[in-house]
């Protein structure tokens, strides 16, 4: 009888009165004030109110039932297909919407509805995949800012690939702690290109200096990521560096000196096309003939091979000792490499480029060690 009386009353009540009546019913249902039979009657009345001509009535109902799990799914779905102002209230919060419902809304909903979906807590992978497939820039920006969303690496890569030139979305992705290293490197490269393309920068520095600055930014980004690289990211990062032609001698030497022999091995395996297990064995053995053959197969310039061998041997010696502070690992290895190189370069004029590279890496390593020590002191 409650539903019947409500329908009759709505025929004569004004919109403000109907909104108040809907609010009373919705609050009673969500707060479990009715007996089961009365609840069914109240829900029938609320379903009737879905067709109310006044947006105020429907918005009032959406506001009250949005966060409740005691209302019917049919009611929530009806509100989710209303105007954006009403739909977004329930889409953003309602626990009654299933993953399938959210996928449908991401695929066929309005931009405002997709934005509401992207901001929800604990989104499931299929919902996030639907949002990425939509290509909706604003929804993806909201998703990238959603700290509760555990976005799969492949989806993050698709977002980055599609919007690397979008400064706001790129920044939001870079702020996330879960993006894979190869994507972070690509985004940092895109950021560097954007900065170097600014007319102010080009006018102030000139074309030659801008090109040099761009390369320096790429190298600094690579160096920072080598230090922070997770083991699960090593293979993908090595492949990314190979495909973007960033697997330089400097990267390989820096990887060894920083103790990232896993990255060094993964990189050489991809460059030489040898099985990674075999490459690791050759690195650990550090025997001059076989190690030289490995680096030559990887396309490493012959003049750099002794430098690489010195770096690997220094890393083996240093890492096997207990007396070395982990913070000093990179600088200690680099010091030994410098000493070994000085003995090798005597009387040779063809190592100027290698000498410049080594001096630059040694300077960067010293700054890296000093920064790590400062961070340790500040954390103490």
């Amino acid at each position: 009888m409650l539903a019947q009386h409500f329908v009759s009353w709505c025929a004569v009540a004004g919109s403000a009165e109907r909104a108040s009546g809907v609010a009373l019913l919705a609050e009673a249902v969500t707060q479990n004030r009715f007996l089961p039979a009365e609840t069914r009657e109240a829900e029938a009345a609320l379903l009737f109110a879905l067709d109310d001509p006044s947006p105020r009535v429907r918005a009032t109902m959406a506001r009250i039932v949005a966060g409740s799990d005691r209302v019917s799914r049919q009611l929530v779905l009806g509100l989710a297909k209303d105007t954006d102002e009403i739909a977004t209230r329930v889409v953003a919060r309602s626990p009654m919407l299933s993953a399938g419902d959210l996928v449908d809304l991401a695929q066929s909903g309005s931009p405002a509805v997709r934005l509401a979906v992207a901001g929800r807590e604990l989104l499931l992978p299929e919902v996030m995949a639907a949002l990425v497939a939509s290509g909706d820039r604003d929804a993806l920006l909201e998703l990238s800012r959603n700290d509760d969303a555990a976005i799969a690496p492949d989806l993050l890569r698709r977002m980055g690939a599609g919007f690397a030139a979008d400064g706001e979305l790129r920044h939001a992705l870079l702020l996330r702690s879960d993006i894979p290293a190869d994507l972070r490197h690509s985004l940092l490269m895109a950021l560097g290109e954007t900065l170097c393309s600014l007319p102010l920068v080009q006018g102030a520095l000139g074309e030659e200096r801008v090109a040099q600055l761009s390369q320096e930014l790429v190298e600094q980004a690579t160096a920072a990521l080598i230090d922070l690289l997770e083991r699960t990211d090593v293979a993908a990062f090595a492949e990314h560096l190979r495909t973007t032609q960033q697997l330089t001698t400097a990267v390989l030497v820096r990887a060894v000196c920083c103790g990232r022999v896993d990255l060094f091995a993964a990189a050489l395996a991809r460059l030489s096309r040898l099985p990674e297990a075999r490459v690791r064995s050759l690195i650990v053995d550090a025997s001059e003939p076989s190690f030289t053959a490995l680096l030559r197969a990887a396309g490493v310039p012959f003049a750099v091979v002794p430098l690489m061998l010195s770096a690997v041997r220094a890393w083996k010696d240093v890492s096997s000792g207990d007396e070395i502070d982990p913070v000093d690992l990179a600088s200690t290895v680099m010091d030994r490499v410098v000493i070994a190189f000085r003995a090798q370069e005597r009387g040779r004029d063809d190592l100027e480029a290698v000498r410049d590279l080594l001096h630059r890496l040694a300077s960067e390593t010293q700054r890296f060690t000093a920064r790590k020590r400062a961070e340790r002191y500040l954390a103490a």
Side-chain angles (χ1 to χ4, degrees):
M1 295 295 292
L2 188 153
Q4 184 178 348
H5 286 308
F6 180 80
V7 171
S8 301
W9 175 74
C10 284
V12 296
S15 61
E17 295 172 316
R18 296 198 306 276
S20 297
V22 162
L24 289 173
L25 283 178
E27 288 173 355
V29 171
T30 57
Q31 296 175 20
N32 201 25
R33 294 176 182 170
F34 287 143
L35 295 173
E38 293 172 327
T39 299
R40 287 191 294 272
E41 285 285 321
E43 287 184 343
L46 292 175
L47 287 171
F48 171 78
L50 284 175
D51 295 322
D52 194 289
S54 171
R56 178 179 178 181
V57 173
R58 306 192 307 275
T60 298
M61 181 164 52
R63 173 178 58 80
I64 295 172
V65 307
S68 176
D69 60 356
R70 290 176 173 169
V71 294
S72 70
R73 183 165 169 273
Q74 185 180 358
L75 176 64
V76 172
L77 286 174
L79 291 168
K81 295 176 182 177
D82 209 312
T83 62
D84 285 348
E85 181 184 0
I86 296 168
T88 53
R89 292 175 182 264
V90 295
V91 171
R93 295 178 55 205
S94 178
M96 302 305 295
L97 293 172
S98 67
D101 297 331
L102 294 173
V103 168
D104 290 340
L105 291 168
Q107 291 174 338
S108 59
S110 67
V113 167
R114 279 194 292 271
L115 198 65
V117 172
R120 284 178 63 101
E121 297 180 355
L122 304 177
L123 287 172
L124 292 176
E126 57 265 38
V127 180
M128 292 184 280
L131 287 169
V132 173
S134 74
D136 186 324
R137 181 263 182 192
D138 291 336
L140 296 185
L141 177 60
E142 181 68 17
L143 179 61
S144 66
R145 290 172 172 170
N146 188 342
D147 294 334
D148 290 318
I151 311 174
D154 286 346
L155 290 181
L156 287 167
R157 290 187 180 101
R158 287 173 60 186
M159 293 166 65
F163 294 92
D166 187 312
E168 194 174 11
L169 184 51
R170 182 178 61 222
H171 178 68
L173 287 171
L174 284 171
L175 289 178
R176 293 187 65 91
S177 61
D178 58 352
I179 67 170
D182 54 301
L183 173 58
R184 189 175 295 278
H185 189 263
S186 294
L187 294 175
L188 289 172
M189 288 175 63
L191 175 60
E193 292 173 1
T194 300
L195 292 174
C196 291
S197 66
L198 294 174
L200 177 63
V201 175
Q202 292 186 340
L205 300 180
E207 184 176 344
E208 183 176 348
R209 175 58 184 137
V210 166
Q212 182 182 356
L213 175 62
S214 178
Q215 183 59 36
E216 289 175 359
L217 289 174
V218 171
E219 291 182 357
Q220 290 173 10
T222 306
L225 289 174
I226 287 175
D227 178 49
L228 300 173
L229 195 61
E230 298 288 344
R231 287 190 178 276
T232 53
D233 284 341
V234 168
F237 188 57
E239 180 61 21
H240 163 75
L241 292 177
R242 186 191 68 81
T243 56
T244 56
Q245 298 182 337
Q246 297 295 322
L247 270 182
T248 62
T249 301
V251 169
L252 295 174
V253 173
R254 182 180 281 110
V256 177
C257 292
C258 291
R260 299 313 306 255
V261 181
D262 51 352
L263 175 61
F264 183 66
L268 289 181
R270 281 154 180 79
L271 291 172
S272 65
R273 300 184 182 278
L274 292 173
E276 191 165 334
R278 174 60 177 160
V279 171
R280 286 178 178 273
S281 175
L282 292 173
I283 292 173
V284 171
D285 183 53
S287 173
E288 184 169 356
S290 57
F291 187 83
T292 299
L294 168 63
L295 265 62
R296 297 298 290 154
V300 176
F302 183 76
V304 184
V305 172
L307 175 64
M308 294 281 194
L309 182 58
S310 298
V312 170
R313 287 175 173 174
W315 168 78
K316 286 181 61 179
D317 291 342
V318 172
S319 61
S320 62
D322 296 331
E323 70 280 1
I324 297 296
D325 189 324
V327 172
D328 295 326
L329 176 64
S331 60
T332 303
V333 172
M334 182 58 72
D335 288 344
R336 296 194 182 191
V337 171
V338 170
I339 292 172
F341 178 76
R342 286 173 180 168
Q344 296 167 6
E345 70 169 339
R346 290 171 185 166
R348 295 187 59 177
D349 298 326
D350 59 337
L351 297 179
E352 182 177 356
V354 180
R355 185 185 306 111
D356 291 342
L357 168 64
L358 189 56
H359 289 166
R360 178 162 57 84
L361 291 179
S363 177
E364 292 176 3
T365 302
Q366 289 174 353
R367 290 197 299 269
F368 168 81
T369 301
R371 186 167 61 251
K372 284 295 182 181
R373 284 201 170 280
E375 291 173 358
R376 174 186 287 183
Y377 296 149
L378 291 173

